[in-house]
Amino acid sequence: MKLPRRNFLHLAAGAAALPVVSRIARAQTYPTRPVRIIIGFAAGGPADIVARLIAQWLSERLGQPFVIENRPGAGTNIATEAVVNAPADGYTLLLVHAANAINATLYDKLNFNLSATSCRSPASCVHPLSWR
């Protein structure tokens, strides 16, 4: 394949300009306001301790407060439903536990579909085993 000189120069100029353009185009900073992490268990338990450690780590690195909100009851379904009904802006997170997967298969009539709706944005679910 023979590439004409003019086309080659256009490609070379585009390749040279790409790093400059990528520095100009930046995403919005996240988070710009406090973030809620909702837990489906009572305060003081292992899930609460893990969530508070995650919140402290994220708060130190991102510079915004991460607020822990405990919503126990119904086998974590109350907390999951609160996250599903929250706006999908990444400011309401759910601490996912094995109970969430069990409830999705155990209960026939839930007001949400865990796999399809609750993790609709990349930052809406936090799993304690994937955090380091």
Side-chain angles (χ1 to χ4, degrees):
M1 176 179 148
K2 190 171 182 183
L3 187 64
R5 182 177 177 177
R6 182 177 292 256
N7 287 347
F8 173 75
L9 291 175
H10 283 260
L11 288 172
L18 187 61
V20 175
V21 173
S22 66
R23 288 186 188 147
I24 295 170
R26 290 196 175 140
Q28 247 184 339
T29 57
Y30 173 85
T32 56
R33 57 188 169 104
V35 179
R36 294 185 314 157
I37 299 177
I38 298 181
I39 309 167
F41 297 99
D48 185 56
I49 293 170
V50 168
R52 291 184 190 281
L53 289 172
I54 292 171
Q56 180 182 1
W57 185 84
L58 288 171
S59 182
E60 289 170 358
R61 276 147 189 84
L62 298 176
Q64 284 291 334
F66 281 72
V67 180
I68 305 300
E69 187 176 325
N70 297 82
R71 291 204 178 180
T76 70
N77 287 337
I78 294 173
T80 306
E81 190 170 355
V83 173
V84 168
N85 292 332
D89 56 2
Y91 288 94
T92 304
L93 308 178
L94 174 67
L95 184 77
V96 179
H97 194 268
N100 296 100
I102 293 169
N103 290 341
T105 59
L106 185 63
Y107 295 109
D108 291 331
K109 296 179 181 177
L110 290 173
N111 295 334
F112 57 88
N113 183 355
L114 181 67
S115 61
T117 57
S118 63
C119 294
R120 57 187 173 237
S121 69
S124 65
C125 288
V126 178
H127 193 279
L129 297 179
S130 63
W131 175 69
R132 290 180 190 244

